[in-house]
Amino acid sequence: MKTRIISAVLSLCALAAPVAAQNIRIGEINSYKAQAAFLDPYKRGMDLAIDEINQAGGVGGRKLEVVTRDDNADPGEAVRMAEELVSAEKVDLLAGGFLSNIGLALGDFAKQRKIVYLASEPLTNKLVWENGNRYTFRLRPSTYMQAAMLAREAVKLQKKRWALIYPNYEYGQSAAATFKALMKKLQPDVEFVAEQATPLGKIDAGAVAQALADAKPDAIFNVLFGGDLAKFVREGTTRGLFKTIPVVSLLTGEPEYLDPLKAEAPVGWIVTGYPWYGIETPEHKAFLDAYQKKYSDYPRNGSLVGYMTIKAIAAAIGKAGGVETEKLVGAFSGLEFDSPYGKIMFRPQDHQSTMGAYVGKTDVKDGKGVMVDFAYRPGADFQPSDEEVKKLRPAE
Amino acid sequence: MTAASLAVQFLNGLANASTLFLLACGLSLIFGVTRIVNFAHGSLYMLGAYVAWSLTQHLSGGVGFWASMFGAAVAVAALGALIESALLRRLYRSPELLQLLATFALTLIIRDAVLYIWGPEDLLGPRAPGLAGSINILGRAFPQYDVVLIVVGPLVLLALHVLLTRTRWGAMVRAATQDRDMAAAVGVNQAILFTSVFALGSGLAGLAGALQLPREPASASLDLFAIGDAFVVVVVGGMGSIPGAFVAALIIAEIKALCIALGSVDLPLLGTVAFPKFTLVAEFIVMAVVLIVRPWGLFGQPQSIQRALNPAEPPSHAAPRWFYWLAGALCFALAVAPLALGETSYALVLAIDIFIAILFAASLYSLVGPGGMHSFGHAAYFGLGAYAAALLLKSAGAPMPVALALSPLGGALGALLFGWFCVRLSGVYFAMLTLAFSQIVWSIAYQWDAVTGGSNGLIGVWPSQWLASHTAYYWLSLALCVAGLVFLRIIHLSPFGAALRAARDNPLRAEAIGIDRRSVQWRAFTIAGAVGGLAGGLFAFSKGSISPETLSVSRSIDGLVMVLFGGVESALGPIVGAAGFVALQDTIARHVDYWRAMLGFFMLALTLLFPGGLAGVWRRRS
Amino acid sequence: MSLLRIEHLSKSFGGVKAVNDVSFALAPGEMRAMIGPNGAGKTTLFNMVDGQLRPDAGNILLNGKSILGLPPRAIFRADVGRTFQIAATFASMTVLQNVQTALASCARQTTSLFRRADDLHRAEAMDLLRQVNMADQAERPCGVLAYGDVKRVELALALANKPKLLLMDEPTAGMAPAERIALITQTRDIAKHRNVGVLFTEHSMDVVFGFADRIMVLSRGRLIAEGDAEEIRNNPKVRQIYFGAGAEPVR
């Protein structure tokens, strides 16, 4: 029995034959089932970009092809999928990742196996700083960058007593820590009167809203998202928490998190997000039209990230003139490419892209949550100084 | 913090306690009568929320809202009746673990069904009409709907009490809870009773999920959160005890509310303690403490000695000579395989994962099979081994081979500590205490950023240069896997192994021939922890990184599934089961969108058609 | 000196006195039966002697030393063997392995990880099995044995430690009449041969009156009579309470 199973396994693997050599193969790993709300649109964004590029003749005459794998939200599985993509599927580079721990595991894998990895979504600062490496690049603005965008708005409120609420894991902790550090620098008299770190996905919203109110803060910084955010918004609204207290909130303006709230979306929160309905730049209009034409649906933030991931990779391959790893590393470093957000660059000093985010206020229109009074904040403006980055990043 | 704020937090706790109780009481009821530990209870709760959401989209107004709540409960009850009569009825005489496997398979299927039907986005339901606002309590706005919840919990408790004590049906339920066979003997129609109990329990879960809709969006991750909470409440209260579930729900909800109310507090000696962070594991800490002090939960009765339902496994002997030749030949074939496959073959990577899974499953099997100890938290020792190896490498600067060699120590030390408490318990309570400990270990790894890297874990855990190639690491994994299996087999055939099986077969008799049951089981627990730790160490270096997922419940469950997959009665079971499970998962996850449901159906088919597991199929044929 | 000495032993369950101030003594080599209607307290008394239950009051002395509060395994090591009302063996082992395990336990080898259990105490185990007439079934799994055979294996287990005292709770229950006499005869022979004291309960009166040296009668937790077969047969109190008024003496 044992032999039979193993031989069956071996023959199965042998079946995964090498595919047409002329295609450029991108291995893409993500938590598709576990984070479907973000990643379904993400995959559509990728597919759209692939179509556009291949219809235009591919890159250097070669077509692009994406091989996706579900990592089951487990870093161990993600690494195995990466091994499989590299050895069995012979992909030329890796992309993807949603959860920070998976992004870090894949980044380290890329370093070990010397293959380029473009982390599209994981937000952790460590990916480009403490654990940054030669082969790993990241597209989305990091936790630090987004918190910095909001800190600059928060200072304008001139509130002294702040309460913080964040999901109890690295993303929440580092967002809160960044926000605190920046606030202290920008507004030395700031006080942090309450901190609630809630278990991810299991917030006890009533008690938390109550505890925040009891601390009598002047303003609240929120890092919750998804189901936790919905619970918190509803409880906080019912309990009158937001009536007089302004809220500054990370990611809340992204359709993934704002849309499920429908008419109950909070009003007047200062948020980062993606107001696809109001971005008037020609680059974005083109993307929006193409996306709506293909899918008869509006893009989510995931769609944009997926689309830009592929566009960035295509640009890098074009610049490198091939898929050889060392050439790709050189090409990505300092790569400028056109995106729905305009020209974006991968910084040579830390491999972080300068993709920014929109900062604005939430409102409810026609029974739906939207962002208003928003403006684009380019990622390049919200970085620590180059010296600081150099200190944070290990020497190569 | 003022007395007023504490008082209102207490009310928040009451509202949550009601939800917890509604969720858990159905599980307790079902367990009391059918003795089935229904893993799918959380899925039924989740379905309640989804069905209620769909109904509220069509029915509006106050009547419509409450009709939706009630309709969801009825729909889930009907589904429960269907599950009971079509599936579980065939499993009442099966070993406990097989029932668990079947209900776990249901959770996989239901989750994918929910994703298919309702899509991946969270669905926020409407507020309760007329109860959307708040009332003023001690100067604070308190949601009207929470007041309703505070009332509903005790009302359901009362209704269940009346149902159980004042009706003929209730008398039958109580009789069956006391003694299932006796109830059958005095003429209780088991089929109808069991189906009705399962339907009622499911309906209560559905109602709990529906009633939560105004407070929480329906999402596909509700099932796992709910089942964890439900288990804890039922076990803390004492399995089968409805009032116990109520008290337990109250204690847990209030402790959480208190943690949140306290916020960050400066304490002498300890510095600043952020109490809200404890809400991550508060329930598991409560469960561990309760089980250590009261091994049968707060209101539970000591479980009567289980009548042996299934025939005992065949006696263990050293294998015949031809088997050693065969095993040797197989090992040799596996050892030379890389030469044929080549360094870049994915088969090597998959095989390494399979070797690690086999080692982990075999260590768990040594507890579950010969030890008769159904651990639900074996991932803790796998993870402790992995973290020990990673920390020795990264923080202590130990060379990689040393770090790997010491990884069993990580698992063993953890098992030594937790095992001492666990072996004092048996049956479901043992399982739940192992689960509680593993969750506590997980939460420490998850939150102790400075040492464990928190939720991100530790990266850069790669093998030494000479072991870094796939081929070299394949050989290392193969060698350690075989060594581990041989070690476990030798122990199995030793006097110690005999004493362990004696303590499982018949604890009373074992004590009466001078065997110290607890001591033997404690040692076995530690040995299993050590071998699990070695598997964890191997895992860490094969992936280059570890994170708290290494010690998650789902890994413990995977291990159990592997063991059951292969069959608990055979020493070859974990080998066949782990290899089959990993290979199957790897294949179908790549080719099938709804691979969880597929795996679930596969497991269901296995439990119904081949209750002896894969190895059992093989044995039956030979 | 008596082998086992019970002094004023009492045990209550929720207000019901299951065993009430019972005292007696048992000599080496003596076969002593304990009889009484269901619920008389026989099993409770057994469970106190072998350490499963803690008495509320009184003392239990083995060879003059109190064994009160010792766990069952310690009492086993103090040379007390026990068989259960519902025969208890290890179903997943062969008959031989059962006895080998008991012998390994006696030799304090159950912590040994690297010896092979099947190789230990083989001869001695076979010897014990011959004594209980189970040698020919040594390699059969205990899980498939006839009930009478399970009882024999259990006896062999109880004898593994060369006990001075055997406690046997209904040793012949569930056996065919011919088997009963065979088993109890074996037991008596072993007891006489090794000078082992045997305390047993029994429902089968032919076994009790045919084999016991002395008989005790328990009723509602109290010891109401003690004597040899003849004395018990003719004791009016026993006839009154145990056999019912006007009953014929048992033959």
Side-chain angles (χ1 to χ4, degrees):
Chain A
M1 192 67 201
K2 186 173 159 192
T3 20
R4 212 172 302 156
I5 282 197
I6 286 173
S7 65
V9 169
L10 297 184
S11 57
L12 262 174
C13 302
L15 278 178
V19 191
Q22 67 269 27
N23 281 2
I24 293 169
R25 291 166 70 80
I26 303 165
E28 206 278 345
I29 300 166
N30 244 313
S31 313
Y32 284 101
K33 272 278 175 284
Q35 301 290 341
F38 182 90
L39 289 169
D40 281 358
Y42 169 89
K43 188 149 188 311
R44 289 177 162 194
M46 279 203 304
D47 290 344
L48 176 64
I50 291 280
D51 283 0
E52 286 180 4
I53 290 164
N54 286 345
Q55 268 158 27
V59 184
R62 294 167 68 187
K63 297 239 150 112
L64 280 190
E65 187 187 338
V66 179
V67 188
T68 57
R69 290 288 181 263
D70 192 339
D71 59 31
N72 202 9
D74 181 316
E77 295 255 314
V79 170
R80 180 164 90 219
M81 293 304 167
E83 297 267 21
E84 191 252 347
L85 288 170
V86 171
S87 51
E89 298 288 344
K90 313 274 181 234
V91 299
D92 299 300
L93 75 166
L94 293 170
F98 179 90
L99 303 168
S100 285
N101 52 6
I102 290 182
L104 287 169
L106 288 177
D108 205 47
F109 172 86
K111 177 183 168 199
Q112 179 78 2
R113 297 272 184 258
K114 298 196 169 38
I115 184 166
V116 169
Y117 165 53
L118 175 58
S120 38
E121 171 68 17
L123 296 178
T124 179
N125 299 328
K126 291 182 178 153
L127 198 54
V128 294
W129 292 348
E130 288 94 323
N131 300 122
N133 64 59
R134 180 175 167 75
Y135 300 93
T136 303
F137 298 82
R138 193 239 313 270
L139 177 66
R140 273 205 78 179
S142 66
T143 309
Y144 176 92
M145 291 157 73
Q146 304 209 34
M149 292 173 196
L150 287 181
R152 221 170 279 179
E153 304 299 318
V155 172
K156 293 182 198 155
L157 293 174
Q158 296 188 315
K159 300 289 183 188
K160 196 170 163 207
R161 294 166 57 86
W162 283 81
L164 298 107
I165 173 164
Y166 54 92
N168 187 9
Y169 76 111
E170 200 261 358
Y171 161 65
Q173 291 152 1
S174 97
T178 306
F179 184 79
K180 276 162 85 173
L182 291 172
M183 285 300 281
K184 271 185 200 142
K185 209 186 287 174
L186 298 168
Q187 183 189 325
D189 71 333
V190 72
E191 272 179 55
F192 299 99
V193 293
E195 253 186 62
Q196 290 284 338
T198 66
L200 180 61
K202 283 189 76 176
I203 185 177
D204 198 342
V208 166
Q210 169 84 54
L212 289 182
D214 283 341
K216 308 216 180 331
D218 300 331
I220 294 173
F221 178 65
N222 166 60
V223 194
L224 300 176
F225 59 93
D228 287 336
L229 176 71
K231 282 161 85 172
F232 178 61
V233 167
R234 196 168 259 193
E235 284 288 344
T237 309
T238 315
R239 290 167 191 258
L241 177 62
F242 311 129
K243 248 187 239 158
T244 51
I245 304 175
V247 179
V248 173
S249 185
L250 217 55
L251 306 187
T252 309
E254 294 179 3
E256 281 88 339
Y257 307 128
L258 197 55
D259 292 358
L261 298 175
K262 294 186 194 140
E264 289 182 48
V267 174
W269 287 19
I270 299 167
V271 298
T272 60
Y274 173 47
W276 58 271
Y277 32 81
I279 304 174
E280 302 292 347
T281 62
E283 300 96 328
H284 186 265
K285 265 245 158 320
F287 164 71
L288 181 63
D289 292 343
Y291 191 91
Q292 285 183 320
K293 190 170 158 231
K294 186 167 162 74
Y295 298 113
S296 317
D297 191 7
Y298 61 92
R300 318 295 201 275
N301 198 41
S303 319
L304 184 73
V305 173
Y307 182 82
M308 284 167 70
T309 301
I310 298 298
K311 286 287 167 122
I313 289 171
I317 296 170
K319 184 180 165 197
V323 291
E324 204 263 314
T325 296
E326 288 305 317
K327 279 193 190 142
L328 267 184
V329 171
F332 256 118
S333 193
L335 172 76
E336 270 203 337
F337 73 105
D338 293 311
S339 81
Y341 276 2
K343 276 228 180 303
I344 282 171
M345 200 237 319
F346 281 93
R347 290 154 44 101
Q349 58 268 54
D350 59 4
H351 295 186
Q352 168 68 46
S353 95
T354 59
M355 178 183 178
Y358 281 81
V359 173
K361 283 194 167 175
T362 55
D363 202 350
V364 175
K365 276 189 184 147
D366 308 324
K368 278 176 72 177
V370 290
M371 278 173 77
V372 293
D373 305 335
F374 49 81
Y376 183 66
R377 298 277 185 265
D381 300 353
F382 298 88
Q383 292 284 358
S385 69
D386 283 356
E387 295 85 75
E388 275 174 80
V389 168
K390 203 167 176 190
K391 258 186 272 168
L392 287 166
R393 216 175 137 86
E396 271 175 25
Chain B
M1 191 182 17
T2 62
S5 72
L6 257 188
V8 178
Q9 287 291 16
F10 180 76
L11 292 178
N12 287 326
L14 282 184
N16 286 333
S18 274
T19 309
L20 270 181
F21 169 69
L22 283 182
L23 165 63
C25 66
L27 184 64
S28 200
L29 194 68
I30 290 171
F31 175 81
V33 174
T34 66
R35 289 286 181 271
I36 284 209
V37 179
N38 180 20
F39 224 97
H41 200 74
S43 310
L44 296 170
Y45 168 87
M46 173 173 77
L47 273 178
Y50 272 103
V51 174
W53 182 85
S54 288
L55 291 175
T56 54
Q57 301 305 300
H58 301 289
L59 310 170
S60 56
V63 177
F65 176 85
W66 292 106
S68 302
M69 300 291 115
F70 186 70
V74 170
V76 175
L79 180 70
L82 182 71
I83 290 173
E84 197 278 338
S85 51
L87 174 67
L88 298 180
R89 185 171 295 174
R90 297 162 206 274
L91 295 173
Y92 287 128
R93 297 278 148 186
S94 304
E96 198 174 78
L97 279 174
L98 211 63
Q99 301 170 347
L100 207 77
L101 187 67
T103 57
F104 178 69
L106 281 178
T107 68
L108 296 179
I109 295 168
I110 293 176
R111 170 171 308 194
D112 267 4
V114 161
L115 283 174
Y116 181 79
I117 298 170
W118 282 282
E121 263 184 34
D122 289 359
L123 302 175
L124 189 62
R127 290 165 185 261
L131 296 165
S134 59
I135 56 170
N136 190 315
I137 296 177
L138 299 169
R140 286 161 178 80
F142 190 79
Q144 291 165 336
Y145 189 71
D146 285 18
V147 179
V148 174
L149 282 182
I150 290 176
V151 178
V152 166
L155 272 184
V156 169
L157 176 66
L158 189 70
L160 280 175
H161 180 75
V162 170
L163 189 65
L164 289 176
T165 53
R166 300 287 158 81
T167 65
R168 190 177 134 64
W169 183 83
M172 288 194 288
V173 168
R174 279 181 296 132
T177 305
Q178 294 289 321
D179 190 325
R180 188 162 78 176
D181 296 334
M182 194 60 88
V186 299
V188 170
N189 182 333
Q190 280 212 8
I192 292 175
L193 179 68
F194 281 25
T195 309
S196 58
V197 164
F198 208 90
L200 177 63
S202 306
L204 286 167
L207 181 67
L211 287 179
Q212 194 62 4
L213 196 61
R215 309 207 314 159
E216 180 168 10
S219 91
S221 54
L222 281 183
D223 52 353
L224 283 186
F225 292 139
I227 191 61
D229 285 347
F231 271 150
V232 169
V233 168
V234 168
V235 167
V236 168
M239 302 214 47
S241 165
I242 307 287
F246 189 80
V247 174
L250 199 62
I251 291 173
I252 289 166
E254 291 302 349
I255 284 180
K256 284 193 175 183
L258 185 65
C259 281
I260 292 167
L262 285 172
S264 297
V265 180
D266 288 312
L267 291 178
L269 299 176
L270 295 170
T272 306
V273 176
F275 279 97
K277 292 194 171 186
F278 284 109
T279 53
L280 188 64
V281 279
E283 62 268 48
F284 290 101
I285 294 174
V286 169
M287 179 158 85
V289 170
V290 165
L291 285 181
I292 287 168
V293 179
R294 282 192 63 93
W296 299 286
L298 295 174
F299 289 69
Q301 304 286 329
Q303 274 175 304
S304 55
I305 291 172
Q306 296 241 324
R307 296 183 181 87
L309 293 175
N310 46 311
E313 68 187 33
S316 306
H317 291 291
R321 193 163 292 262
W322 63 263
F323 181 85
Y324 286 107
W325 282 108
L326 192 71
L330 180 65
C331 289
F332 180 77
L334 285 172
V336 298
L339 304 178
L341 291 164
E343 162 70 16
T344 56
S345 166
Y346 172 60
L348 292 188
V349 176
L350 188 60
I352 290 171
D353 271 13
I354 289 179
F355 295 147
I356 293 168
I358 288 176
L359 199 53
F360 177 59
S363 70
L364 176 59
Y365 168 79
S366 72
L367 281 182
V368 172
M373 291 176 272
H374 299 168
S375 171
F376 271 35
H378 200 56
Y381 313 104
F382 182 88
L384 282 171
Y387 271 98
L391 287 172
L392 283 167
L393 184 85
K394 302 293 287 183
S395 304
M400 174 264 170
V402 175
L404 179 61
L406 291 178
S407 61
L409 211 60
L413 288 177
L416 196 70
L417 173 65
F418 298 135
W420 192 84
F421 297 102
C422 292
V423 299
R424 261 133 252 275
L425 275 52
S426 60
V428 181
Y429 294 101
F430 172 91
M432 287 299 132
L433 189 57
T434 54
L435 174 69
F437 281 133
S438 87
Q439 281 301 90
I440 290 168
V441 172
W442 170 83
S443 76
I444 291 171
Y446 195 81
Q447 306 208 51
W448 197 7
D449 286 302
V451 173
T452 62
S455 58
N456 277 345
L458 299 164
I459 66 168
V461 191
W462 294 102
S464 303
Q465 203 56 46
W466 59 282
L467 287 167
S469 75
H470 286 155
T471 311
Y473 206 78
Y474 170 94
W475 279 328
L476 178 71
S477 313
L478 174 64
L480 289 179
C481 175
V482 171
L485 291 177
V486 170
F487 173 69
L488 288 173
R489 184 68 187 163
I490 288 175
I491 289 177
H492 182 76
L493 294 174
S494 72
F496 172 78
L500 183 64
R501 275 172 284 136
R504 170 201 63 187
D505 279 3
N506 200 324
L508 221 56
R509 180 76 258 174
E511 289 274 337
I513 59 164
I515 292 171
D516 185 344
R517 180 185 66 81
R518 281 180 186 169
S519 154
V520 168
Q521 291 187 335
W522 189 25
R523 283 162 210 253
F525 199 91
T526 308
I527 291 169
V531 178
L534 178 64
L538 267 177
F539 174 83
F541 289 113
S542 79
K543 300 297 177 193
S545 61
I546 53 164
S547 66
E549 277 74 19
T550 324
L551 352 101
S552 66
V553 186
S554 63
R555 184 174 300 276
S556 296
I557 303 283
D558 279 355
L560 278 176
V561 171
M562 289 176 206
V563 169
L564 294 166
F565 206 49
V568 230
E569 289 166 28
S570 162
L572 288 177
I575 301 175
V576 177
F581 182 82
V582 174
L584 190 73
Q585 201 182 33
D586 185 71
T587 337
I588 64 175
R590 228 172 319 145
H591 300 292
V592 184
D593 250 5
Y594 289 95
W595 57 270
R596 280 188 233 255
M598 180 101 166
L599 197 66
F601 280 118
F602 195 85
M603 280 156 55
L604 272 190
L606 193 79
T607 50
L608 291 176
L609 301 176
F610 306 110
L614 285 179
V617 178
W618 176 73
R619 191 178 332 136
R620 201 173 300 173
R621 267 209 327 234
S622 66
Chain C
M1 188 173 58
S2 47
L3 174 63
L4 174 72
R5 191 169 190 88
I6 304 288
E7 291 174 347
H8 307 292
L9 211 58
S10 293
K11 177 80 189 173
S12 309
F13 295 109
V16 179
K17 290 221 159 189
V19 171
N20 192 355
D21 195 25
V22 170
S23 301
F24 65 90
L26 183 107
E30 177 186 332
M31 291 272 286
R32 178 181 288 250
M34 185 159 60
I35 61 173
N38 280 333
K42 294 168 293 183
T43 299
T44 304
L45 199 138
F46 260 57
N47 287 347
M48 284 192 282
V49 178
D50 96 331
Q52 280 186 58
L53 283 177
R54 230 194 140 84
D56 296 339
N59 204 352
I60 305 166
L61 302 148
L62 193 68
N63 282 323
K65 264 192 259 165
S66 174
I67 56 168
L68 221 52
L70 293 180
R73 57 177 183 278
I75 289 178
F76 174 75
R77 296 208 184 282
D79 300 332
V80 179
R82 156 110 206 225
T83 68
F84 292 89
Q85 191 168 356
I86 296 168
T89 56
F90 309 122
S92 74
M93 300 182 191
T94 64
V95 169
L96 182 63
Q97 285 174 332
N98 262 273
V99 183
Q100 282 176 300
T101 304
L103 288 166
S105 170
C106 298
R108 295 183 181 274
Q109 289 165 326
T110 51
T111 53
S112 167
L113 296 181
F114 298 108
R115 262 183 283 194
R116 186 164 287 179
D118 277 355
D119 298 343
L120 294 172
H121 312 291
R122 242 192 137 81
E124 207 183 330
M126 285 306 294
D127 202 41
L128 272 169
L129 288 176
R130 269 190 289 276
Q131 289 182 38
V132 297
N133 273 345
M134 282 297 292
D136 52 334
Q137 300 196 61
E139 295 300 336
R140 294 189 71 198
C142 261
V144 303
L145 293 183
Y147 190 60
D149 291 339
V150 175
K151 291 230 145 192
R152 278 177 224 279
V153 177
E154 208 196 12
L155 179 58
L157 292 182
L159 290 172
N161 206 25
K162 302 195 176 64
K164 300 272 172 14
L165 173 67
L166 259 182
L167 302 172
M168 304 179 79
D169 202 354
E170 306 209 5
T172 70
M175 294 173 103
E179 270 189 318
R180 275 182 192 181
I181 302 300
L183 183 85
I184 203 75
T185 312
Q186 275 163 7
T187 309
R188 187 182 59 186
D189 293 349
I190 293 165
K192 298 299 171 202
H193 180 78
R194 295 189 178 182
N195 204 25
V196 174
V198 180
L199 180 64
F200 68 103
T201 65
E202 191 50 71
H203 276 298
S204 158
M205 288 305 144
D206 45 350
V207 169
V208 171
F209 286 94
F211 290 86
D213 299 320
R214 292 187 70 77
I215 299 170
M216 303 188 296
V217 183
L218 249 62
S219 174
R220 293 187 188 165
R222 283 187 172 278
L223 188 60
I224 58 164
E226 188 183 348
D228 60 23
E230 199 55 35
E231 286 163 10
I232 295 298
R233 216 176 255 143
N234 297 325
N235 186 325
K237 232 162 134 191
V238 175
R239 290 171 61 180
Q240 172 77 26
I241 294 172
Y242 191 75
F243 303 107
E248 284 295 300
V250 181
R251 261 164 258 290

